[in-house]
Amino acid sequence: MHFFQGLRSNALIAAALALPIVLLVVLQIVFALQRERENVAEFALGRAERIVRLAEAQVQADHAVMRVLATAEMVDARDWPLAYARAREVMSLNPHWRNVIISDTRTNTEMFNLARPYSNAQPPLDAAIADRESISREGRFCPCAYLYQPIGGDARYLLTVAIDPEIFRDILMTNLPEDSIAALVDRQGLFIARSREQSERVATPATQYVRDAVASGQVSGVYEGVTYEGFRNHSAYFVSPLTGWSAHVAIASALIERPRAYSNAAIIVGIVLALILAAGIIAWALRDIAERRLAEQRLAQTQKLEAIGQLTGGVAHDFNNLLTVIIGGLNMLLKRIEDPKQREIADHMLDAAKRGDKLTKQLLAFSRGKRMELTPIDLHQLAPGMEELLRRSVGADVTIDFDLAPDARWVKSDANQLELAILNLVINARDAMPNGGRIVISTRPSDARGEFIELAVSDTGFGMPRDVAERAMEPFFTTKPAGKGTGLGLAQVFGAARQSGGQVEIDSAPERGTTVRLLLPRTEAASAPADVDAAPAPPAPRGNGQKVLVVDDEAGVRSFVAQTLRDAGFDAAEAGDPGAALRKLDADRFDLLITDFSMPAMTGLELAEQARKRQPNMQLLIISGWADAEALEKSAARPRLLRKPFDERTLLEAVRASFASS
């Protein structure tokens, strides 16, 4: 009898221990399925927003060029023959422009139209342009999307540019989720671009589901619908606040509904099992759940940081393409602009673009998981050069001072990683001084190790106890409240110092502040550049008819590179994707291949390796702000690398170096 009672007691204890596990598993399944459903919708919304932002960026880039044309001297003077010639020149630099028209809004007549030879006849304006439509199938060079730019203060004259809708379809196809359909529509619900049946659907009305979403006035959302192909779907959409255009990404309804059905089934199974099992002792289960939850939080934090890094890298890559076109275009414009005021404006724009270049390099330093590139670094330039960024990061109640010893200047490290380490240390110091205080960034030779230089960040905060200071550089260790810190800041600082061949020391005590010292290897100063005042800069390298193939899926970058090469005496051909490039390589011989690294279907490195097999004597140059130099070094093709963004001279110098290495 006692034997069976013991078995029953053990069974009840086992059931009591199993109950919270069963409930936890069921809840995890339900939450996971619910999150899966939400993730599908969030992913589609993210792609829709990305498509809209890229389309906005393209429209803004075109509007920037249009504003330059609209403020040209001959346009201000209403010298239409000269304006006609300038418009034709600008259109040649923008291959996706199909037509340029200047019209009189009072009389609805054309001043000129690049679709026809210049004439003083001033024919009536096309109805689509007069009505300021976004997209039209009618008219010469159509279907096309229209962009408008008023001219002058009274806006009597209007600059209209007809854009090839294919440039927006390229954005769709590049960001289209697998097994989905996407479209870009205007305020009236007319297709601007569509992933399927582009030529038949462009400038025609979208489905009623799409038009209802556009008419709802909501910025974003998810709705059920059916495409023209009969594809039953849930569509995520996002509306541009700039243009009013909206992107719609249709995903299969089963991806949304299946997790819901599985979730309901899991709930039923969990209820049945919960009724069978008895409630009992749960202390051990709670402790086990707490440990598991902590592990899951750490894993989720790691995955979140990895996702942020990937997103940051993707955004920086896109900005590098935009900055390459902007910097290159501004340099070209500066050669043509004679008006001092306009040159001053262009110079300011170029300075802003170069600051954007520095920002993208910092973003890439955060996102790239690759080995450090150790070079001589001047701490007297690097640290003060971050002053504006650091002051914005700490706020007005914290002061930042620099104490840089003259004999503690040059170290060997990675500039981007070292900047990120300084920023992490300054932010930690700010958090340690909630009521304000003082941060000092200093350098001095190491007393204990003469071959090292100390880069220190000191604060007047509340300091750390000894046990906290000893664990401060452990990954995920943090004393901040949940959600306020990742525990990875000092770990990154430690990693940057160790990979540079140095180490990190922490000197801290409660109410005494904290000093973090990076011991970095001392090195010789980098070779000084030639004195720019001693002699004028040598002329940019020029070609002698060498044949160059330029490959880039970004039309603006490709056009800028090819035009620069042609102006410098090279014979440049263009290809918009690796497949087209390989066909050109099979059909003709080239002296140099210039290719972007990140492209659909095939990377620039893979294309370079294929090209080298076809034409062994051809030189290779990869242009990218994203490519890892280590991967290029390991390749048998050993192509040269030119980082984006770059200007005309930098490009031509890289081309000269490529030919010189042959």
Side-chain angles (χ1 to χ4, degrees):
M1 185 68 176
H2 290 293
F3 173 78
F4 290 107
Q5 287 178 342
L7 288 179
R8 190 163 51 247
S9 298
N10 290 337
L12 289 174
I13 293 174
L17 294 174
L19 178 60
I21 297 175
V22 170
L23 292 176
L24 178 63
V25 170
V26 171
L27 289 174
Q28 286 180 329
I29 292 174
V30 171
F31 290 149
L33 292 170
Q34 179 66 21
R35 187 57 188 164
E36 178 184 346
R37 180 173 180 269
E38 294 172 357
N39 284 343
V40 171
E42 289 174 2
F43 177 77
L45 278 170
R47 286 303 178 95
E49 182 176 3
R50 179 176 174 82
I51 290 169
V52 164
R53 298 304 185 194
L54 291 174
E56 284 181 345
Q58 180 61 52
V59 170
Q60 287 176 320
D62 286 321
H63 268 301
V65 178
M66 291 172 67
R67 284 192 292 272
V68 172
L69 179 57
T71 56
E73 183 178 354
M74 66 287 296
V75 176
D76 285 339
R78 309 300 188 246
D79 189 342
W80 304 125
L82 283 179
Y84 178 92
R86 175 56 61 85
R88 184 170 294 281
E89 178 185 357
V90 172
M91 190 170 77
S92 69
L93 299 175
N94 295 272
H96 61 287
W97 286 19
R98 288 184 164 180
N99 197 6
V100 177
I101 302 166
I102 290 184
S103 59
D104 188 332
T105 59
R106 297 180 184 176
T107 62
N108 277 345
T109 57
E110 297 177 354
M111 298 298 99
F112 67 77
N113 185 331
L114 295 191
R116 59 176 67 94
Y118 179 79
S119 170
N120 292 320
Q122 297 183 2
L125 188 62
D126 183 84
I129 300 175
D131 293 337
R132 304 283 183 94
E133 295 182 1
S134 299
I135 187 78
S136 175
R137 294 184 67 87
E138 306 300 327
R140 193 173 181 184
F141 301 121
C142 283
C144 53
Y146 289 116
L147 300 181
Y148 302 93
Q149 176 65 44
I151 297 174
D154 58 359
R156 173 178 177 178
Y157 297 98
L158 182 70
L159 170 63
T160 304
V161 172
I163 304 294
D164 186 351
E166 282 296 323
I167 195 168
F168 298 109
R169 186 172 186 268
D170 290 343
I171 294 175
L172 283 181
M173 301 308 294
T174 303
N175 298 276
L176 181 65
E178 186 177 357
D179 298 327
S180 62
I181 299 175
L184 186 68
V185 303
D186 68 2
R187 296 175 184 271
Q188 286 71 44
L190 301 179
F191 286 119
I192 295 173
R194 195 171 188 265
S195 59
R196 298 185 186 179
E197 301 179 346
Q198 164 79 356
S199 58
E200 295 84 4
R201 296 294 183 187
V202 66
T204 66
T207 65
Q208 189 63 47
Y209 306 101
V210 174
R211 284 179 282 145
D212 288 344
V214 172
S216 69
Q218 299 295 320
V219 174
S220 64
V222 178
Y223 60 89
E224 296 183 44
V226 180
T227 69
Y228 281 120
E229 294 84 358
F231 177 64
R232 184 170 174 269
N233 65 86
H234 281 68
S235 291
Y237 72 99
F238 188 87
V239 180
S240 166
L242 176 68
T243 63
W245 297 356
S246 56
H248 300 252
V249 177
I251 54 178
S253 293
L255 295 176
I256 298 291
E257 296 172 352
R258 190 183 298 121
R260 181 186 297 165
Y262 289 167
S263 177
N264 293 336
I267 292 174
I268 294 173
V269 172
I271 292 174
V272 172
L273 292 177
L275 292 174
I276 295 173
L277 297 173
I281 305 172
I282 61 173
W284 174 86
L286 289 175
R287 184 171 60 253
D288 180 69
I289 292 171
E291 294 175 354
R292 186 182 306 175
R293 184 171 298 168
L294 178 60
E296 289 173 350
Q297 288 175 347
R298 290 180 174 177
L299 177 60
Q301 187 68 29
T302 302
Q303 293 173 336
K304 181 173 70 174
L305 290 173
E306 181 181 354
I308 292 173
Q310 292 175 350
L311 174 63
T312 301
V315 171
H317 172 261
D318 292 337
F319 269 105
N320 271 329
N321 281 334
L322 296 175
L323 288 171
T324 299
V325 178
I326 293 170
I327 292 174
L330 286 171
N331 277 308
M332 288 182 173
L333 286 174
L334 283 169
K335 294 179 180 179
R336 296 173 171 84
I337 296 175
E338 297 180 357
D339 183 270
K341 292 184 178 179
Q342 294 184 8
R343 286 190 64 86
E344 182 180 359
I345 294 173
D347 283 332
H348 289 322
M349 294 171 65
L350 186 58
D351 288 341
K354 290 178 178 178
R355 289 198 300 272
D357 174 25
K358 182 177 180 180
L359 177 59
T360 56
K361 284 183 171 61
Q362 291 174 335
L363 292 175
L364 287 172
F366 170 75
S367 64
R368 284 202 297 257
K370 70 179 190 68
R371 71 179 184 182
M372 296 174 65
E373 298 178 5
L374 302 181
T375 58
I377 297 173
D378 184 358
L379 294 179
H380 287 205
Q381 289 188 359
L382 182 136
M386 298 179 62
E387 182 174 2
E388 182 179 355
L389 172 63
L390 297 177
R391 293 194 188 281
R392 287 201 306 266
S393 301
V394 300
D397 55 349
V398 176
T399 61
I400 297 179
D401 296 322
F402 295 88
D403 182 12
L404 310 178
D407 55 345
R409 182 167 185 171
W410 290 94
V411 297
K412 193 172 185 179
S413 185
D414 182 291
N416 291 323
Q417 291 291 339
L418 193 54
E419 285 183 344
L420 189 58
I422 294 173
L423 180 60
N424 275 326
L425 292 175
V426 169
I427 290 175
N428 278 351
R430 175 204 65 188
D431 294 341
M433 302 182 295
N435 298 321
R438 180 171 179 257
I439 298 174
V440 178
I441 301 174
S442 61
T443 65
R444 67 182 182 88
S446 173
D447 294 332
R449 304 171 67 179
E451 70 276 17
F452 284 81
I453 288 177
E454 291 183 3
L455 170 62
V457 177
S458 305
D459 64 63
T460 57
F462 41 69
M464 293 182 284
R466 181 177 178 181
D467 59 332
V468 173
E470 290 176 348
R471 300 186 58 194
M473 287 180 286
E474 294 180 8
F476 301 109
F477 177 78
T478 179
T479 58
K480 298 177 182 178
K484 298 296 185 180
T486 64
L488 293 175
L490 285 176
Q492 182 276 332
V493 174
F494 178 76
R498 289 297 298 270
Q499 290 185 64
S500 300
Q503 63 185 52
V504 181
E505 297 177 351
I506 299 179
D507 180 11
S508 183
E511 307 302 328
R512 195 166 58 84
T514 299
T515 297
V516 180
R517 299 184 184 90
L518 279 72
L519 274 69
L520 301 171
R522 183 193 294 270
T523 190
E524 296 296 326
S527 299
D531 188 355
V532 294
D533 296 327
R542 294 190 59 81
N544 190 24
Q546 295 96 327
K547 301 189 70 172
V548 182
L549 177 59
V550 181
V551 187
D552 200 310
D553 59 332
E554 184 71 30
V557 176
R558 186 175 69 248
S559 175
F560 159 64
V561 173
Q563 188 60 45
T564 299
L565 293 173
R566 294 187 189 110
D567 292 344
F570 294 91
D571 182 4
E574 302 180 36
D577 58 76
L582 292 175
R583 290 192 292 272
K584 287 182 180 290
L585 290 170
D586 289 335
D588 198 358
R589 299 197 66 79
F590 292 90
D591 300 301
L592 173 65
L593 170 68
I594 300 179
T595 176
D596 185 25
F597 182 83
S598 179
M599 293 185 293
M602 183 185 295
T603 68
L605 180 57
E606 293 169 338
L607 174 61
E609 292 171 345
Q610 292 288 331
R612 178 57 62 80
K613 293 178 182 178
R614 285 169 166 79
Q615 300 185 24
N617 296 325
M618 182 173 57
Q619 299 304 307
L620 306 172
L621 176 62
I622 288 181
I623 54 175
S624 178
W626 178 252
D628 192 339
E630 182 180 1
L632 302 185
E633 292 172 2
K634 292 181 179 179
S635 170
R638 297 300 295 270
R640 298 182 70 87
L641 174 62
L642 173 60
R643 294 287 187 187
K644 291 180 179 177
F646 48 80
D647 56 18
E648 296 169 276
R649 174 174 288 275
T650 307
L651 170 63
L652 294 175
E653 288 287 355
V655 171
R656 179 198 59 76
S658 297
F659 282 121
S661 64
S662 59

